[in-house]
Amino acid sequence: MGGATAPWNLGRSHERRRGMSNYLKLMAILVALATAALGLAGSAMAEETIKIGVVGPRTGTAAATGAAFDEGIALALDKINGSGGVLGKKVEVVFEDTAGDPAKAASGIEKLITKDNVVMVLGESHSSAALAEIEVANRNKTPFIIAEAWHDDITKKNYPYVFRAGPCNSGVVNDAIMGFVKHYGFKRVAIFAENTDWGKGIKDLAETGLKAAGVEFTTIDTDTKSQDHYTELNKVKKFKPDLILAFVYGFGVHYLIAQAGEVGIVPSQALLLEGAGPPSLWPEFWKTVGQYGNLELFVSRMHEKVMLTPVAKEFDAAYQKKFGKPPTDYKSRSIYDVILIAADGIKRAGSTDSEKLTKALENSDIVVCSGQVKFGKEKGSYAYHQWQPPMLIVQWQDKKQVVVYPMDAKTGDLKK
Amino acid sequence: MEDLLLYLTNGVFMGSTYALVALGVTLIVGIMGVINFAHGELYVLAGYFSALCSQALGFDPLSSMVVAVVLVFFFGLVIERILIRPTYGQEMYSLIITFILYIILQNAYLVVFGPYPNKPPNWVNGASDILGLFSYSNQRLASFAAAAAVIAVFMVVMRKTWFGRVIRSVAMDREMASLLGVNPERVNMLSFGLGCVLAACAGVILTPVFPVTPTVGVGISLTAFVVMILGGLGSLTGCIVGGLLLGIVENLGVAYISSGYKSLFGFLILILVLFFRPTGLFGQKRL
């Protein structure tokens, strides 16, 4: 019997042990799962944020703008989250690289809205990309504040969810560039425009403005991807301009300035006004253009000595503290401004509901680095949902920035 | 007249740079049957190396260029040994591998060097008055001379030396060359390395004129492919003629038709050549 019992007992205790073992394993798994679930829930609760999407180029010819955006985002988040966030939650930014490519831009913003579930999208710096993005934002009824894409059509389409808290072509040309041309009495102007939405749009406006002012001009269209402009510059030289309006964005304008110097146009025959701004402030500017950068002019919404508001001073101090250098590319400030506008909109809406947010944004009245933001409310033109910051025309004089226009912000005389 | 002379001068300068870049691609295609999508990225790498050597290490321009070319040569050997060699005989695999390499290198440049353009100092500054007709950059003239010299040396090596004959024999008949004692694997390795050297030479010669950025390699590779097809797959002479033709046609097109569609002229001439002569200007596989 014993022999018969032993195997039975043995088997029973073995089964029991196996049963116990399975039970313990099951318990262990359940405990682990529960702990993980609790942990996840805990971390989700701890990290619950309001997500804002940012679109802009981190690659491509204007990849430097992505770097400037990153700096501005970091400073804006420090400011907003450092003072308790918005609606009791921290603000989180999800960045999508658009590389200035409309197809990539459209899929990028679609991903931000549908997959990342952002409550609002901000940014962009290429008009071609922005024109694709506004269609997606408007279709998805997601508020979208453009920071630095200038084409008039972006707000001229009068989409209810699209805003622009930054320069537009009409504002830049009519207020800044034409004012500058008329004030300093330029007689012959050569327009050098890249074949992009921004380039074509701003070129058309400049041609209209010059024609109305009775200034003689010639226009050269250039391929945005071209690095060599010798042949085109020869045509410009023969026209004998006293001013070149260079509507070429990104590193391309560096090559243009250097080559315009090499063929003997700038600065001896004509001054060159770069219509986009930040490329003249990028770190490699002087290395690429050499001595031909002297007396070059550029459009800017920032100057190291012109602080338009207390927020600009605050930004400047925070920037220097965080990055150990003064801010150069003004697009770090542009994105900083739109993030402040977005946070203010969410606060006033008291919600992340897109309809309430849109309404709140329409009624924005907030001071940012570039001035006091109030969006246009009247439909029918580019001025709808548009806020144009004041633009400066700055000249490099012995590697120092001198504001030469508008006259009330002037820090020195124009040198020819 | 002086206008036409300027357009032609600039066309020949740009054409010589196109030819130099395309020669490396053609060499690798002709001998190994490998289309190197990352060719432009090797150009960029050499540009970065020469800029680093002159800026960070204080080398003179010539030493910077030599160091950059040597480094890219060894980098090319490593690529061939690790990535290309296992794909021999499987053209699609090598195509995919080099395509992935191009993406990885481009992103690596962005992380390591940042998005800004980078260039070594000019070898010479200022501009010269050419025959009293127009002003032309001294650096461009120097780069043109260097590109022409590299192309001439390369052609002499390929046509007049034992090494060139060995390479051409493998390109013509790999099996027969192997029976005659040529080690095709070693020839492949050296050919790939030499192709990389040509990309690197183009990079160091042109970076003072056209600074490198992480993404500039795409355009370089595309132009090289257009020139290679224009000249005839595998034809070195075709590369030189194709490069010069492309440079001149682009410049005349910009001057007399429209400057907004510069890249279109290259493709137009390519379509025309392929329509009338589908094998390209100089046929194929005649090294």
Side-chain angles (χ1 to χ4, degrees):
Chain A
M1 281 299 279
T5 318
W8 182 86
N9 283 340
L10 185 68
R12 182 67 182 269
S13 72
H14 175 70
E15 275 184 15
R16 189 180 294 159
R17 272 205 299 273
R18 194 166 60 192
M20 280 294 285
S21 161
N22 286 341
Y23 176 75
L24 282 172
K25 274 184 194 166
L26 185 66
M27 284 297 289
I29 289 168
L30 284 173
V31 168
L33 281 174
T35 311
L38 276 172
L40 282 175
S43 67
M45 276 191 288
E47 290 172 11
E48 198 173 353
T49 55
I50 292 177
K51 281 189 190 175
I52 291 175
V54 169
V55 280
R58 267 183 175 156
T59 53
T61 55
T65 296
F69 273 10
D70 282 333
E71 291 173 349
I73 291 167
L75 291 172
L77 291 184
D78 283 353
K79 179 180 166 70
I80 296 164
N81 292 335
S83 55
V86 180
L87 306 182
K89 294 172 188 172
K90 297 225 179 234
V91 174
E92 179 189 348
V93 164
V94 187
F95 197 113
E96 200 58 40
D97 174 27
T98 62
D101 174 12
K104 207 171 172 191
S107 61
I109 193 170
E110 187 97 44
K111 183 219 158 219
L112 285 174
I113 294 169
T114 57
K115 196 174 168 215
D116 296 315
N117 297 316
V118 298
V119 299
M120 196 187 287
V121 184
L122 318 169
E124 198 47 74
S125 169
H126 285 282
S127 290
S128 303
L131 285 165
E133 287 157 357
I134 57 172
E135 302 297 331
V136 181
N138 204 53
R139 171 164 47 81
N140 286 285
K141 298 184 175 173
T142 303
F144 181 23
I145 314 176
I146 306 272
E148 279 289 347
W150 295 8
H151 199 290
D152 281 0
D153 282 359
I154 291 167
T155 45
K156 203 175 183 178
K157 292 195 173 186
N158 286 189
Y159 286 161
Y161 300 93
V162 175
F163 297 80
R164 174 164 47 201
C168 67
N169 281 346
S170 281
V172 172
V173 172
N174 299 337
D175 301 345
I177 294 177
M178 282 315 301
F180 169 77
V181 169
K182 285 179 200 165
H183 180 83
Y184 287 104
F186 289 100
K187 299 274 184 296
R188 291 172 71 83
V189 175
I191 301 171
F192 213 99
E194 64 176 35
N195 57 349
T196 59
D197 285 309
W198 167 71
K200 288 175 190 166
I202 199 162
K203 173 196 79 174
D204 290 346
L205 288 164
E207 284 177 339
T208 308
L210 291 170
K211 208 178 282 178
V215 177
E216 279 191 69
F217 66 91
T218 186
T219 303
I220 304 285
D221 296 309
T222 189
D223 189 337
T224 184
K225 287 178 184 158
S226 178
Q227 286 189 311
D228 176 53
H229 301 290
Y230 257 59
T231 303
E232 295 144 318
L233 285 164
N234 187 54
K235 289 183 183 176
V236 170
K237 195 177 181 182
K238 294 196 92 70
F239 178 71
K240 293 190 172 46
D242 52 6
L243 178 71
I244 299 174
L245 296 178
F247 299 129
V248 177
Y249 188 51
F251 304 126
V253 81
H254 294 186
Y255 311 139
L256 179 67
I257 295 165
Q259 290 167 29
E262 286 166 5
V263 301
I265 304 180
V266 299
S268 55
Q269 188 190 82
L271 289 178
L272 186 144
L273 169 57
E274 187 243 302
S280 295
L281 296 162
W282 287 345
E284 305 300 318
F285 175 77
W286 288 103
K287 204 192 289 176
T288 312
V289 304
Q291 79 266 32
Y292 304 121
N294 194 34
L295 304 190
E296 188 248 3
L297 297 137
F298 58 95
V299 176
S300 178
R301 61 190 273 194
M302 183 172 92
H303 181 265
E304 55 198 359
K305 286 182 188 152
V306 180
M307 295 291 165
L308 294 168
T309 67
V311 185
K313 278 186 193 164
E314 191 186 305
F315 171 87
D316 203 58
Y319 187 100
Q320 301 214 36
K321 191 178 170 195
K322 194 168 183 85
F323 301 110
K325 55 174 185 172
T328 49
D329 188 336
Y330 70 70
K331 292 196 178 182
S332 56
R333 238 172 58 167
S334 311
I335 194 75
Y336 179 86
D337 279 357
V338 286
I339 295 175
L340 296 192
I341 297 165
D344 171 68
I346 297 169
K347 258 185 215 165
R348 284 184 296 103
S351 153
T352 54
D353 173 74
S354 74
E355 300 303 328
K356 288 180 183 166
L357 265 177
T358 309
K359 196 80 195 153
L361 286 174
E362 268 186 345
N363 295 316
S364 291
D365 188 359
I366 173 178
V367 175
V368 293
C369 296
S370 301
Q372 188 161 13
V373 181
K374 282 184 180 178
F375 290 109
K377 290 183 184 173
E378 201 169 310
K379 285 195 172 187
S381 76
Y382 71 85
Y384 178 67
H385 282 187
Q386 163 72 29
W387 174 70
Q388 169 77 36
M391 300 300 280
L392 309 168
I393 293 184
V394 183
Q395 184 175 41
W396 279 117
Q397 295 179 3
D398 298 324
K399 297 197 176 176
K400 287 195 172 63
Q401 297 175 37
V402 177
V403 179
V404 292
Y405 193 83
M407 304 317 281
D408 53 359
K410 199 175 133 184
T411 61
D413 293 329
L414 177 78
K415 282 191 181 170
K416 290 189 181 180
Chain B
M1 185 61 192
E2 69 263 29
D3 291 347
L4 181 64
L5 208 61
L6 168 64
Y7 303 146
L8 289 176
T9 306
N10 204 45
V12 170
F13 164 68
M14 292 305 294
S16 67
T17 68
Y18 295 161
L20 186 56
V21 177
L23 277 174
V25 177
T26 300
L27 183 74
I28 295 168
V29 170
I31 291 155
M32 303 165 69
V34 170
I35 292 179
N36 183 12
F37 255 107
H39 195 76
E41 275 56 46
L42 296 168
Y43 166 105
V44 173
L45 187 62
Y48 277 129
F49 278 149
S50 66
L52 268 182
C53 286
S54 54
Q55 288 161 10
L57 305 175
F59 288 10
D60 62 84
L62 186 64
S63 309
S64 304
M65 288 161 66
V66 171
V67 170
V69 171
V70 170
L71 286 173
V72 171
F73 171 69
F74 284 113
F75 184 63
L77 292 188
V78 172
I79 293 173
E80 192 279 336
R81 182 67 192 87
I82 297 172
L83 299 175
I84 310 290
R85 198 175 292 181
T87 69
Y88 283 146
Q90 314 243 13
E91 287 175 12
M92 189 54 78
Y93 285 170
S94 60
L95 197 75
I96 294 168
I97 288 273
T98 56
F99 188 77
I100 293 170
L101 183 66
Y102 130 72
I103 295 170
I104 291 172
L105 286 178
Q106 201 178 85
N107 282 284
Y109 298 157
L110 190 63
V111 171
V112 176
F113 301 108
Y116 304 105
N118 218 319
K119 76 187 276 283
N122 283 3
W123 311 340
V124 279
N125 286 316
S128 293
D129 208 16
I130 307 291
L131 305 171
L133 298 174
F134 56 85
S135 176
Y136 206 76
S137 150
N138 290 334
Q139 178 57 50
R140 283 187 180 224
L141 293 171
S143 290
F144 169 69
V150 170
I151 292 172
V153 169
F154 173 71
M155 293 305 279
V156 168
V157 168
M158 291 304 289
R159 295 203 185 284
K160 303 286 181 194
T161 65
W162 173 84
F163 175 68
R165 276 198 292 275
V166 169
I167 286 184
R168 281 189 292 147
S169 71
V170 174
M172 282 173 187
D173 193 330
R174 178 173 292 267
E175 281 182 17
M176 183 56 80
S178 179
L179 286 172
L180 292 172
V182 174
N183 182 343
E185 272 201 353
R186 187 159 298 170
V187 171
N188 276 347
M189 187 180 76
L190 287 174
S191 306
F192 194 84
L194 189 56
C196 295
V197 163
L198 286 169
C201 284
V204 296
I205 288 171
L206 293 177
T207 305
V209 180
F210 302 120
V212 284
T213 63
T215 51
V216 83
V218 185
I220 303 287
S221 295
L222 265 179
T223 308
F225 294 143
V226 168
V227 169
M228 180 177 68
I229 296 165
L230 197 60
L233 274 182
S235 167
L236 298 180
T237 312
C239 254
I240 298 169
V241 176
L244 291 173
L245 182 67
L246 184 66
I248 292 169
V249 166
E250 268 186 5
N251 272 272
L252 293 181
V254 166
Y256 296 113
I257 302 173
S258 167
S259 46
Y261 302 100
K262 190 175 183 179
S263 38
L264 195 68
F265 301 122
F267 287 108
L268 271 179
I269 192 85
L270 181 66
I271 290 165
L272 280 175
V273 167
L274 291 183
F275 186 76
F276 291 108
R277 197 176 160 81
T279 54
L281 291 172
F282 286 79
Q284 61 180 22
K285 286 217 166 181
R286 282 185 59 83
L287 286 167

